[in-house]
Amino acid sequence: MGHALKRDAHWTSSSTVQLKDIKKKLPLRVLSEADWKQWTTKGYVIVRQAVPAANVERLADLLWKFDEKDPADSSTWYAPQRRDHIMKELNGTGMLEIYNHQYLWDNRMEKRVYDAFVDIWDREDLWVAIDRANLNPPKKVKGNADGFIHWDVDTSITPPPIGVQGVLSLKKQDGDVGGFQSVPYLFEHFNEWVKTQPADRDPMHPDMTGLSRVNVDMEPGDLMIFNSLLAHGVRPNHSDNRVRMAQYISMFPADPEDAETRAERVRLWRELDHPKRDAFPGDPRGWEAKNATTAKLNPLGEKLLGLTDW
């Protein structure tokens, strides 16, 4: 039986309170008070050393194997993309269509990762997004140094969509290697900024005139969590011989009453399949299903998937 594509690329919540406006009821578990202020004003926060170093190293090794590339031979780093993206700005950005391997799930089940998202949502009953990874080698031709900036949600919608995304760094990320960049000013001053824009503005791509991008250095094992209303993008890798590697991890409020979504999540995990969303083209080789087994979940993982109730 076929599964229809969903146009939205990322998961959003039916919550009615914007994340920046949450009044905390639960005590902070991972974030500090300064982190919380950063999160609510700038739209992002970094959780340092969110997962153990051993988890980072083994996942990095796996991603090289998955992508059929040799970390010691840069001539293997530039094989053609296996399948094009409907979201064309993602073409050539190093997205890896791997979603359900045990090593990915091990990082999703790390308590420090989960507790960080509990802090963000101020609730414990969360599901984890079934998302992928990234391996982005240096650009052969050093072209546009700025890269693209976009929103993952439609900023013309009232009230704005509510969502969270996260990037777990597997290699050191700095200005040379590129990676995540954002425009915190737009998050903090969106209501004032939008009044200066034409009525027919692009709700997915801001006019960057007069705006500055911010890059944040990250060490292996650091997790960046950002609000979906934060304008962001991927800065090109202009280093000489370093790759950017990351796993995308995010969580959102569980919806156990949505039996269809819940069943599909369990199927993806059990069959090592990819989500049927237009940003996720899937792997034409079916590598995961052929080379891995269904991930073993601990009690937290079973709840994060939706296999068992909170």
Side-chain angles (χ1 to χ4, degrees), residues 250-266:
S250 62
M251 298 185 188
F252 54 95
D255 186 6
E257 301 305 313
D258 186 347
E260 181 180 0
T261 296
R262 185 173 185 172
E264 175 64 0
R265 289 170 56 80
V266 172

Side-chain angles (χ1 to χ4, degrees), residues 184-202:
Y185 176 89
L186 263 185
F187 181 84
E188 192 170 8
H189 302 282
F190 179 82
N191 291 337
E192 294 82 9
W193 173 84
V194 77
K195 294 175 183 176
T196 69
Q197 302 301 299
D200 62 347
R201 72 178 180 88
D202 185 339

